[in-house]
Amino acid sequence: MSVTVTLPDGSNKVLAEGATVYDVAASIGSGLAKAALAGKIDGNAVDLNTLVKEGDQVEIITSKSPEALDILRHSTAHVMAEAMQMVFPGAQIAFGPQTETGFFYDFELDHSASTDDFEAIEAKIAEIVSKDEPFVREIVTRSQAEELFAAQHFKLEHVRELPADAEISVYRHGEFIDLCTGPHLPSAGKIGAFKLMKVAGAYWKGDASREMLQRVYGTAFFTKKDLDTYLFNIEEAEKRDHRKLGRELDIFMMDELAGAGLPLYLPHGARIIRLMQEWLRRELYRRGYEEVITPHIYRAEVWKTSGHYDFYHENMYFFHINEGTEDEPRLSEYAVKPMNCPGHVLLYRNDIHSYRDLPIRYFEFGTVYRHEMSGVVHGLLRARGFTQDDAHVFCRVDQVVDEVVAILDLADIVMKTFGFDYEAEISTRPAKSIGSDEMWEFAESALKEACARRDLAYEINEGDGAFYGPKIDIKVKDAIGRTWQCSTVQVDFNFPERFDLTYRTAENSTERPFMLHRALFGSIERFLGILIEHYAGALPVWLSPIEVRVIPIADRHIEGAQALRARLEAADIRVEVDTDNAPMRVKIAKAQSDKIPYMLVVGDKELADNTVSVRERHEGDLGTQNVDDFIEMMKQYVIR
RNA sequence: GCCAACCUAGCUCAGUUGGUAGAGCAACGCACUCGUAAUGCGUAGGUCAGGGGUUCGAAUCCCCUGGUUGGCUCCA
């Protein structure tokens, strides 16, 4: 008997009797294969003829397939668990999947493992790999599984939670046996290169109330060369880390005296943030937004009305102040705002609104403070104090879709302007929520309709909405492929209700408006952090804190350089002069590492005939230009 | 908040088994006055994150606090 399988190139291949997927793989020049047939076969040395009928389509995965690396890494995780049990006798094993960049395995150990143990563990792994023993799949009954894992309480717990009809498969590798659905490499020798990366803590089943396990991260590749490339890329990514560049380019700093997650902006950083705001403010004014300014602190009553006092208490900064006398104290409680909504809601409530006034769009560059848990702060990307480009749109039911479309439109302009690709997600009603079914249904379909109207593809994030309404999130892809949540559009049923917001209809009745929250940058600081990494610090000219640096060749050219600076400043160009007593090429090198877009070299020649020698940071020497021509060229970078 | 590691000059980092600190860059001074990615010489700079303990002696070992990093959890 023989079967026909389909190979990766689309051609068919007839399998001889008794062939295994690995025979197929070998015959097409690959050492790794996985045959998948309705989930019944995986990449082990299974005799295809026992499982595949004539005419079945069998997919063969070779080491060139995208899935292959996942399989390799998951197999490496097994080998690592095997090694860990030798280095740490009695280790309890939990789960060990592959990840985007490698794999991990969770353990419960008598003594904490640390990176100091990596050498010993890696040596064991290498030893196991060199033995090149096969991974063998077995199907077992539930009672067999319970017996096999009698000494592994996490595995045992997992076996007992498997549904009654589940097929239970285990993989043996040498002495090591693991509960696992597979697939795996044919044998451990296929692991070409591996490296343990770091240790971390992780809760069993991701549940903070369960055991804290030790998670060991590693990565693996088919070849040493691939591993080296990966490690090199990590180094490159570290070079563009916004925390490193933020310090090198004088953008922001942190001081432990100030407190965690509280960045201080140096002049360059402040400049960039103001440029971002200046640009956005113009776009918003053109689209019917009105800028407002609201307090940074409010009496606790505001937060009791909004619900934050109960729901968000542990993330807020509260303080008390004596508004009485020393003898007769009268304590008032205040909190620093963790969001801007209440201010805008109070502004709306200040007046009676007609249906004709809507939509009302209030925006604010609102700095908020959230006491994030100590373990989560991360440079500018997750800070405790940050500024949102926050806006709230109060509108009628018939305006919701149009408003959301307009917001998506603007989000698209923002992302294109800053050079980002993005993806959209719609988050729907969570288990714990307020509002009627009709409201949720209306809001969710309004968001979907808006996306459809803009031809914006989106994923659905089931049950991940806020308790007060559904939302569209826009995630930005940065230069190294990571995604960050930035823009958000949310429908809110909570605030209009709690603050009793109303408007008068054409029939002179009272109606409750819809309230949309929206932010485009999200947090300006987070957006800046992503920008810095995206451009490796070389921000677009229009956002560069210094656009031009004038470089006098010798000391006698400094005076002329200062005169040139004055001319450029008069044309609103952000310019400075390098007056250091250093050779010109040293000044050039300095300007390059400062990522200054344009360097203007001036010496005897230039000063004599009113020209500049222009050097662009990426293009290099552009030759000589008239000063007036250069000023004219720079006009394109003015925000207008 | 949890797990682990880390904190030495402004920055990047050395500092062997405990014997009371070092380099490069930056800064400052002098010389050089230079044509597109780093000129030479010199000077100064540190309660080794802070506090407590062990010890004849602590950057080094132990404890506490703060901060940082990587994860987990969280992210109205």
Side-chain angles (χ1 to χ4, degrees), chain A residues 279-290 359 361 393 403 406-414 518 520:
Chain A
W279 175 82
L280 184 62
R281 180 179 284 118
R282 281 167 187 256
E283 295 296 327
L284 293 175
Y285 278 146
R286 283 173 191 156
R287 288 170 173 75
Y289 283 84
E290 299 169 285
R361 309 180 189 90
V393 177
E403 287 302 311
I407 292 165
L408 294 177
D409 214 50
L410 186 51
D412 185 65
I413 289 171
V414 170
R518 63 78 310 193
L520 301 167

Side-chain angles (χ1 to χ4, degrees), chain A residues 117-260:
Chain A
D117 302 309
F118 280 6
E119 210 173 310
I121 303 165
E122 285 179 332
K124 273 286 178 234
I125 296 173
E127 194 183 311
I128 297 165
V129 168
S130 70
K131 282 189 197 154
D132 194 23
E133 290 189 68
F135 288 90
V136 180
R137 178 190 176 92
E138 284 169 34
I139 304 297
V140 297
T141 64
R142 187 169 297 257
S143 59
Q144 282 173 318
E146 287 183 11
E147 200 175 309
L148 280 170
F149 298 107
Q152 288 290 339
H153 70 266
F154 294 117
K155 292 290 174 190
L156 207 54
E157 180 180 335
H158 187 60
V159 167
R160 291 184 173 145
E161 283 171 5
L162 287 172
D165 60 344
E167 182 182 75
I168 301 176
S169 63
V170 299
Y171 278 81
R172 278 184 198 279
H173 184 256
E175 296 293 300
F176 181 75
I177 185 157
D178 197 357
L179 183 70
C180 178
T181 55
H184 279 281
L185 296 171
S187 65
K190 304 290 185 291
I191 299 169
F194 65 89
K195 184 173 167 59
L196 300 188
M197 303 299 289
K198 58 207 171 194
V199 288
Y203 299 106
W204 167 238
K205 297 203 161 168
D207 183 344
S209 68
R210 297 292 307 265
E211 296 92 326
M212 170 62 75
L213 307 175
Q214 288 236 292
R215 177 168 294 181
V216 181
Y217 282 88
T219 191
F221 292 89
F222 285 100
T223 65
K224 174 84 163 56
K225 194 172 157 236
D226 289 348
L227 175 64
D228 289 343
T229 304
Y230 171 74
L231 295 175
F232 175 78
N233 287 341
I234 289 179
E235 275 177 42
E236 287 302 299
E238 279 169 5
K239 278 186 201 158
R240 55 168 73 211
D241 189 307
H242 76 281
R243 293 165 299 191
K244 179 178 156 68
L245 289 170
R247 185 174 52 241
E248 287 172 0
L249 301 177
D250 288 331
I251 292 171
F252 75 99
M253 54 161 282
M254 303 278 194
D255 192 318
E256 65 176 87
L257 194 59

Side-chain angles (χ1 to χ4, degrees), chain A residues 19 207 210 259 300 330 385-386 427 475 519 630:
Chain A
D207 183 344
R210 297 292 307 265
R330 189 162 49 84
F386 58 95
S427 295
K475 300 193 167 184
F630 180 77

